[in-house]
Amino acid sequence: MKSFDAVVIGAGQAGVPLAKKLAAAGWKTALIEKRLVGGTCINDGCTPTKALVASARMAHLAAGRKELGVETGGVKLNFTQVMRRKDAIVSQFRSATVKGIEQVPNLKLIYGAATFTANHELRVRTDNGLFEKLTAERIFINTGAEPFIPEIKGIGEIRFLTSTSILELKEVPEHLLIVGGGYIGLEFGQMFSRFGSRVTILEQGERLLPREDEDACEVMAKVFQEEGIILKVKAKVVRFENYGTNRIRVSASVEDKTENYTCSHVLIASGRKPQTSELGLANTDVVCDQRGFIQVNDRLETSVKEVYALGDVKGGPAFTHISYNDHVVLVNNLLHHAKEKISGRVLPYCMFTDPQMGRVGLNEMEAKAAGRDYLVAKIPMRQVARAIETGETKGFMKAIVDKKSKLILGATVIGEIGGEIMSLLQMAMAGKITYEEIRYMIFAHPLYAESLNNLFMTLDD
Ligand SMILES: Cc1cc2nc3c(=O)[nH]c(=O)nc-3n(C[C@H](O)[C@H](O)[C@H](O)COP(=O)(O)OP(=O)(O)OC[C@H]3O[C@@H](n4cnc5c(N)ncnc54)[C@H](O)[C@@H]3O)c2cc1C
Ligand SMILES: NC(=O)c1ccc[n+]([C@@H]2O[C@H](COP(=O)([O-])OP(=O)(O)OC[C@H]3O[C@@H](n4cnc5c(N)ncnc54)[C@H](O)[C@@H]3O)[C@@H](O)[C@H]2O)c1
């Protein structure tokens, strides 16, 4: 049995920086990874999808825009090159991460799947089929999440894609039917539509993106429909079956009526579940919630002393920057005697559709539910000078402000660079800059940022 001061399970967005910092502080540390260093974000998530979104946007722009006075003679997509570029970026990011790990003294990277045999003991099935036994004073679980596959009649008989396997396609699907209208469904939906697929999105909820304000969902739905994507809400898939050669027939109950679709590919984008099946948590006293996410307190401690969980596997907002921040909280608490908590963090995120949807803090729905005394500042992009000049007028800027303190509580920005504008407002929130100060702040003309003046002028009496 090999003994360590710390073992980190999962080389994801929290595990890698955590293991490096613990080892650099002199702790004898092992980092165990069963698949690829970099986890979901680098290998199957943010990095490959955002590289592909860039190719899709280029294809879209290359088609020209009549009203901007640019017409082109059609677009030729080289999908092999699109995927090759994506693979090169992923491999660049992954090898830089591996190199970073290898340079740290006291840190041992072990490739293999880790399973608990007791609260502080692990068995690792290494890539060469051998088993290593490890024990550690402190264990950190950063095993992430994986696609959730709903139990739908016939799903076992068809070949369906997930957000991971779709990244290996060799050809653009003729008709891609997507189950789920969340971030993954929308990012892939628009991307493949722009690559030339016919795209149908079936969402079981009343609308897309149920956590967002209704006006945000309406704008996104309109953008998608204008690009020719078929969107159905209140759509529950009831059956899949193989149909003819290489076709799949999908029966769905849409607003209580049965509709049938025949497509070439199905993407299941109906959420993610914690990746704990190989962890052997039954051999420990670690407690999970009903959906299998590991329960932690405000300091990321599980129910077992000195066993922690970070990132997607603990549930809550599943974003790379949250996983990364989890490691910051732990490093500060364990190495610098801080008492940091994970509750009360401001949550920013950006959906990388075109236009982007940047979100931070409270939206209107949440402000209302929380009983806040708030004002709403909102301007459509068609009134933003920069958006008019660039021809990117879809979307809006919307901020929720506290009526009394005039501080910004949150924002939704849908636009060409909605995520970046949202981040400006996030900085204002962090710096406690009131909306009244932003209203007359000097921004360079004619940037999108300049229209933050106009956004808050809407609150003038
Ligand atoms: C298609 C897609 C697009 C996304 N886009 C964005 C985006 O644009 N922005 C954003 O912020 N977030 C995005 N996300 C979410 C983001 O990728 C995740 O929130 C983030 O990667 C979670 O990091 P993590 O460290 O918690 O886990 P992960 O990065 O998932 O890492 C977990 C690691 O643990 C390993 N592991 C699991 N079990 C074991 C075991 N028993 N033994 C050893 N190793 C194990 C896994 O192989 C994996 O490498 C996206 C996700 C997807 C699927
Ligand atoms: N840009 C980003 O930051 C980004 C991009 C992609 C993913 N992510 C992360 O990954 C997570 C998972 O994304 P996701 O889109 O898979 O999950 P999600 O939970 O955001 O959306 C899943 C959607 O599928 C619908 N659904 C579930 N079962 C269904 C069924 N049987 N039929 C029809 N619809 C069904 C749900 O109602 C929901 O709207 C996100 O929550 C996010 O944290 C982030």
Side-chain angles (χ1 to χ4, degrees):
M1 178 100 62
K2 287 185 188 150
S3 165
F4 290 88
D5 297 321
V7 168
V8 179
I9 311 172
Q13 293 307 303
V16 172
L18 177 69
K20 285 167 71 177
K21 283 181 190 152
L22 296 180
W27 295 20
K28 187 181 168 203
T29 305
L31 173 60
I32 307 168
E33 172 52 53
K34 72 169 181 177
R35 199 173 146 240
L36 297 166
V37 164
T40 307
C41 175
I42 289 184
N43 300 292
D44 325 294
C46 329
T47 306
T49 54
K50 272 75 246 185
L52 293 174
V53 160
S55 291
R57 180 166 157 78
M58 183 54 74
H60 182 69
L61 293 177
R65 289 260 297 274
K66 230 179 182 170
E67 77 273 20
L68 268 76
V70 181
E71 292 179 54
T72 57
V75 177
K76 186 168 168 267
L77 184 85
N78 181 343
F79 191 62
T80 307
Q81 172 56 17
V82 167
M83 297 303 250
R84 204 182 283 146
R85 172 179 178 273
K86 176 265 295 175
D87 291 340
I89 295 171
V90 168
S91 115
Q92 177 193 338
F93 284 18
R94 186 169 56 231
S95 34
T97 310
V98 172
K99 209 179 256 174
I101 292 169
E102 286 168 353
Q103 281 166 357
V104 182
N106 297 322
L107 179 55
K108 186 172 164 54
L109 174 61
I110 303 171
Y111 283 103
T115 304
F116 281 91
T117 48
N119 278 336
H120 284 266
E121 286 177 15
L122 295 162
R123 189 187 62 217
V124 182
R125 196 188 62 243
T126 58
D127 280 358
N128 52 16
L130 300 175
F131 288 96
E132 273 193 41
K133 285 185 176 176
L134 314 179
T135 176
E137 242 170 78
R138 292 189 173 101
I139 298 183
F140 302 86
I141 307 170
N142 173 231
T143 53
E146 58 190 332
F148 166 74
I149 309 300
E151 277 179 31
I152 297 173
K153 202 170 170 190
I155 198 161
E157 270 99 71
I158 61 156
R159 279 176 56 187
F160 61 86
L161 298 165
T162 64
S163 60
T164 307
S165 57
I166 198 170
L167 297 170
E168 302 308 322
L169 281 179
K170 301 278 179 266
E171 280 168 13
V172 175
E174 184 262 307
H175 182 183
L176 177 65
L177 183 138
I178 303 179
V179 180
Y183 310 81
I184 291 183
L186 296 190
E187 288 185 357
F188 278 115
Q190 187 180 47
M191 177 200 300
F192 275 95
S193 166
R194 290 178 168 195
F195 286 152
S197 298
R198 195 145 60 91
V199 173
T200 303
I201 301 178
L202 303 182
E203 163 58 47
Q204 67 182 7
E206 301 255 318
R207 53 189 168 92
L208 302 173
L209 305 164
R211 283 188 292 267
E212 308 304 335
D213 282 343
E214 211 162 328
D215 50 3
C217 302
E218 272 168 23
V219 166
M220 292 316 304
K222 193 158 177 266
V223 166
F224 272 52
Q225 278 153 352
E226 282 173 2
E227 290 195 21
I229 295 166
I230 308 288
L231 273 184
K232 299 278 177 172
V233 291
K234 297 189 206 161
K236 203 170 162 45
V237 177
V238 288
R239 189 191 173 113
F240 293 109
E241 54 193 318
N242 289 313
Y243 188 75
T245 328
N246 295 328
R247 312 283 296 170
I248 299 162
R249 201 171 145 94
V250 183
S251 305
S253 151
V254 183
E255 306 210 25
D256 295 331
K257 284 198 201 98
T258 302
E259 291 190 7
N260 293 310
Y261 303 86
T262 308
C263 61
S264 58
H265 294 74
V266 167
L267 168 66
I268 302 290
S270 55
R272 291 172 65 77
K273 62 173 188 179
Q275 206 171 12
T276 50
S277 55
E278 283 172 282
L279 270 182
L281 291 177
N283 301 324
T284 70
D285 298 309
V286 170
V287 173
C288 297
D289 69 13
Q290 274 179 337
R291 295 194 301 149
F293 290 101
I294 296 178
Q295 284 193 4
V296 291
N297 64 14
D298 239 353
R299 288 175 303 282
L300 297 164
E301 294 161 331
T302 67
S303 43
V304 174
K305 204 167 170 1
E306 309 289 19
V307 175
Y308 304 80
L310 319 79
D312 286 7
V313 76
K314 71 176 195 308
F319 298 101
T320 286
H321 38 282
I322 293 299
S323 295
Y324 186 83
N325 189 259
D326 284 353
H327 112 273
V328 174
V329 168
L330 274 184
V331 164
N332 288 342
N333 290 352
L334 295 174
L335 298 182
H336 307 301
H337 311 292
K339 288 199 163 51
E340 289 189 11
K341 296 175 176 178
I342 58 164
S343 59
R345 291 186 286 201
V346 168
L347 174 66
Y349 55 91
C350 178
M351 182 173 71
F352 289 84
T353 43
D354 179 18
Q356 297 176 355
M357 186 191 67
R359 268 273 278 120
V360 63
L362 298 183
N363 62 16
E364 195 174 353
M365 207 164 59
E366 291 161 346
K368 194 179 280 176
R372 303 293 296 246
D373 195 11
Y374 64 92
L375 297 171
V376 179
K378 184 176 170 186
I379 48 167
M381 280 295 169
R382 61 175 188 282
Q383 285 174 18
V384 169
R386 176 78 187 150
I388 298 167
E389 287 153 4
T390 52
E392 302 279 353
T393 51
K394 289 170 186 165
F396 56 73
M397 295 184 184
K398 180 176 177 183
I400 310 300
V401 301
D402 185 82
K403 215 172 188 174
K404 202 157 149 224
S405 67
K406 323 261 186 234
L407 291 170
I408 300 163
L409 301 174
T412 302
V413 184
I414 301 182
E416 183 190 8
I417 52 164
E420 312 292 343
I421 303 301
M422 168 278 287
S423 304
L424 285 180
L425 291 166
Q426 184 191 346
M427 292 281 273
M429 288 166 72
K432 301 206 179 315
I433 300 173
T434 66
Y435 81 80
E436 288 185 332
E437 290 171 276
I438 300 175
R439 186 169 42 179
Y440 293 111
M441 196 171 274
I442 304 174
F443 293 107
H445 172 75
L447 288 176
Y448 279 107
E450 187 194 33
S451 285
L452 293 176
N453 294 153
N454 309 65
L455 173 65
F456 292 119
M457 280 176 202
T458 63
L459 296 179
D460 284 347
D461 299 327

